[in-house]
Amino acid sequence: MSSRSETSLIDMKYAPKALQKMFIVAGILIILGAFNVYSSTYYMNMESGVSPYSHILRHLVFLAVSVVFAFILSRVNYRIIRKGAFLWCFLTLGLLLLVMVAGRTVNGATRWIALGPISLQPSEIAKVTGLIWAASSLAKKVDANMSMSILWHILKPFAHLGSHRKGDSFGAMFRYFSPLLFPVIMAVLVLKQPDMGTAGMILIFPALLYVIAGMPAVEIILGLVGSFLLFVALAVAMPYRMQRIIILFEPEKYAQGIGYQTMQSLIAVGSGGLLGQGMGEGLSKFLYLPEQYTDFAYAVFSQEYGFVGSLALLALYLAFMWYGLSVGRKLKQTYPALLVYGLTLLISVQALINIAMVIGLFPVTGIPLPFISFGGTSLLMNIAALGLIWGTATQSLRESDELERKQRIAAMEGRPLTFGELSGRVYGKRR
């Protein structure tokens, strides 16, 4: 048997059922996304005088590149990726700064770097690199048995003013929040593009890792309240953001103005009925609905597949989340578990926010629907996240299994084996 075949067998041996099902769900979403990109762009392309297959061909090229990239990531030792967390974030910061200097502006937002016929959106990269940094940095604190009480670490330096103990200093407080260092900086740069929605995604998921790591319930509630107040403050600071919130309550009142996009989205979703107008037969993509192939791809999907189809798509994202979190629970090492949790939530929660936006329950933002919306960088990073999840999970499970074997061998040296040890209790637990 070749070494490549042996490696594949080892991967599958340590790929729990939840991980395999997670990837099946992701595969279905990717296929549905390809159909939806073609359906939502072919008429727009013909109106523009280009090939009706222009967008779908570009999407398939990005898809092929993304799959190869994800496969490579799944083969790289997750410890190498972890050690390079600072470098990945530093390079991402460089790209975000380049956007500010030489970025391409579309609809008043400067978010892209033009690379010949394609564009790169560094803010999408920041979502993943920020999580790698946060998971790596926070894991060190969890493994050192540090308290996850954020409030205590904020108040501790003030309570020990004048103390010369290293752990009571303001420097210690800032070191405690080091997992959020790069996410905060990247979020601020993205907020200047301006893109409040993506900036929030870059910061929220690393912050969620504190919750997963054991933040006290009281502080979680305080954090939610604080996040809401910050959201309101940022919305009030810019009139166009406030308008997007106002639209949520009376979209029909602004149907011919600032609420046109939301109203057309609601019309598309509602006109799909129970079973939809049929694949490729939706009418809203005929230049009625703006951004019908990117941020509002779910509206086109709902119109063509109806309530049943749109509900099934929502169920797929919820299944993706469930299986991903189940994989995270199986991991015994802190960094792998935090990274898998974070990447799973990044993809699934973004999907829920996008769907809420499309049906008028959330303000219009620049958050795409993972695997479904057209967007090369978004597709690349979402599929790259899948590669990271697979590689990190399987390698971590293999390491845990090998460690348990060594511990059992060491414990059994010099004495006869019991029946339970002979039957392999450790392996009986694997699912």
Side-chain angles (χ1 to χ4, degrees):
M1 183 180 292
S2 68
S3 60
R4 183 178 300 177
S5 299
E6 289 174 355
T7 303
S8 299
L9 287 174
I10 291 173
D11 279 354
M12 292 307 298
K13 175 183 177 181
Y14 293 105
K17 294 296 183 183
L19 182 61
Q20 296 176 36
K21 291 176 181 178
M22 182 187 190
F23 270 67
I24 291 173
V25 170
I28 295 171
L29 288 169
I30 290 169
I31 293 170
L32 291 175
F35 280 114
N36 204 64
V37 166
Y38 173 67
S39 177
S40 60
T41 59
Y42 76 86
Y43 180 78
M44 176 187 72
N45 287 333
M46 288 192 294
E47 278 289 309
S48 301
V50 298
S51 168
Y53 307 108
S54 175
H55 276 78
I56 184 59
L57 288 177
R58 288 166 59 192
H59 180 81
L60 292 176
V61 169
F62 271 113
L63 177 58
V65 172
S66 301
V67 170
V68 172
F69 184 47
F71 178 79
I72 294 172
L73 286 177
S74 72
R75 288 292 187 266
V76 175
N77 190 307
Y78 76 86
R79 296 180 186 278
I80 294 176
I81 294 172
R82 180 183 183 180
K83 287 179 181 177
F86 180 87
L87 177 61
W88 316 140
C89 287
F90 184 78
L91 293 174
T92 305
L93 281 176
L95 291 173
L96 289 171
L97 290 171
L98 184 60
V99 168
M100 298 177 68
V101 176
R104 185 167 65 92
T105 302
V106 178
N107 296 329
T110 306
R111 304 173 185 171
W112 298 268
I113 299 172
L115 299 173
I118 64 173
S119 296
L120 184 71
Q121 188 175 359
S123 57
E124 290 293 329
I125 301 174
K127 295 176 184 177
V128 175
T129 56
L131 265 174
I132 294 173
W133 167 265
S136 175
S137 185
L138 187 60
K140 296 176 184 177
K141 305 181 188 311
V142 174
D143 291 339
N145 294 318
M146 289 184 67
S147 167
M148 287 298 110
S149 173
I150 288 180
L151 194 59
W152 165 242
H153 283 277
I154 292 175
L155 298 177
K156 189 178 179 181
F158 296 96
H160 295 86
L161 283 175
S163 171
H164 297 290
R165 289 194 304 173
K166 188 176 180 180
D168 295 334
S169 67
F170 284 97
M173 180 185 74
F174 287 116
R175 284 193 296 274
Y176 174 76
F177 290 105
S178 61
L180 299 179
L181 172 64
F182 279 112
V184 167
I185 297 173
M186 292 189 287
V188 170
L189 292 176
V190 171
L191 194 61
K192 285 184 168 294
Q193 294 181 357
D195 190 350
M196 180 178 167
T198 303
M201 297 301 98
I202 293 171
L203 188 55
I204 286 171
F205 295 103
L208 274 176
L209 295 184
Y210 279 90
V211 177
I212 295 169
M215 183 192 297
V218 173
E219 294 186 21
I220 294 174
I221 296 172
L222 291 174
L224 291 173
V225 173
S227 299
F228 175 75
L229 293 176
L230 179 62
F231 172 81
V232 172
L234 290 173
V236 172
M238 298 294 288
Y240 78 92
R241 293 176 187 153
M242 198 64 201
Q243 289 175 348
R244 292 180 177 180
I245 296 175
I246 293 171
I247 291 167
L248 294 178
F249 301 98
E250 292 182 290
E252 62 283 347
K253 183 178 178 180
Y254 305 94
Q256 298 303 315
I258 57 176
Y260 178 80
Q261 193 171 25
T262 298
M263 199 64 207
Q264 289 298 320
S265 176
L266 293 173
I267 290 172
V269 173
S271 62
L274 182 63
L275 299 176
Q277 298 176 2
M279 190 177 85
E281 300 297 325
L283 298 176
S284 289
K285 65 190 174 201
F286 292 108
L287 308 185
Y288 292 106
L289 175 64
E291 308 298 335
Q292 80 283 5
Y293 62 105
T294 53
D295 297 347
F296 285 82
Y298 185 74
V300 173
F301 187 92
S302 297
Q303 188 174 50
E304 297 189 349
Y305 298 95
F307 177 75
V308 172
S310 59
L311 196 62
L313 189 63
L314 174 61
L316 285 172
Y317 283 112
L318 292 175
F320 182 92
M321 180 190 291
W322 174 261
Y323 291 135
L325 296 180
S326 297
V327 172
R329 284 194 296 269
K330 292 179 181 294
L331 305 181
K332 298 178 181 179
Q333 296 165 300
T334 308
Y335 166 74
L338 288 177
L339 185 62
V340 169
Y341 279 133
L343 293 174
T344 297
L345 292 172
L346 174 68
I347 293 173
S348 51
V349 173
Q350 279 191 112
L352 298 181
I353 291 174
N354 178 275
I355 291 171
M357 176 192 74
V358 168
I359 62 177
L361 297 178
F362 196 83
V364 174
T365 65
I367 300 172
L369 186 60
F371 309 122
I372 304 294
S373 293
F374 177 83
T377 315
S378 173
L379 183 67
L380 175 68
M381 297 315 297
N382 285 324
I383 295 182
L386 293 178
L388 287 172
I389 289 171
W390 182 279
T392 302
T394 54
Q395 291 173 36
S396 177
L397 287 171
R398 184 175 68 230
E399 287 182 359
S400 296
D401 197 14
E402 290 173 353
L403 180 61
E404 288 176 355
R405 287 188 189 185
K406 291 177 181 178
Q407 291 174 340
R408 293 176 64 226
I409 291 172
M412 291 184 294
E413 285 181 348
R415 63 178 177 80
L417 300 178
T418 67
F419 177 78
E421 290 165 342
L422 283 171
S423 64
R425 294 171 302 180
V426 171
Y427 313 113
K429 296 176 183 177
R430 188 73 62 214
R431 292 288 182 268

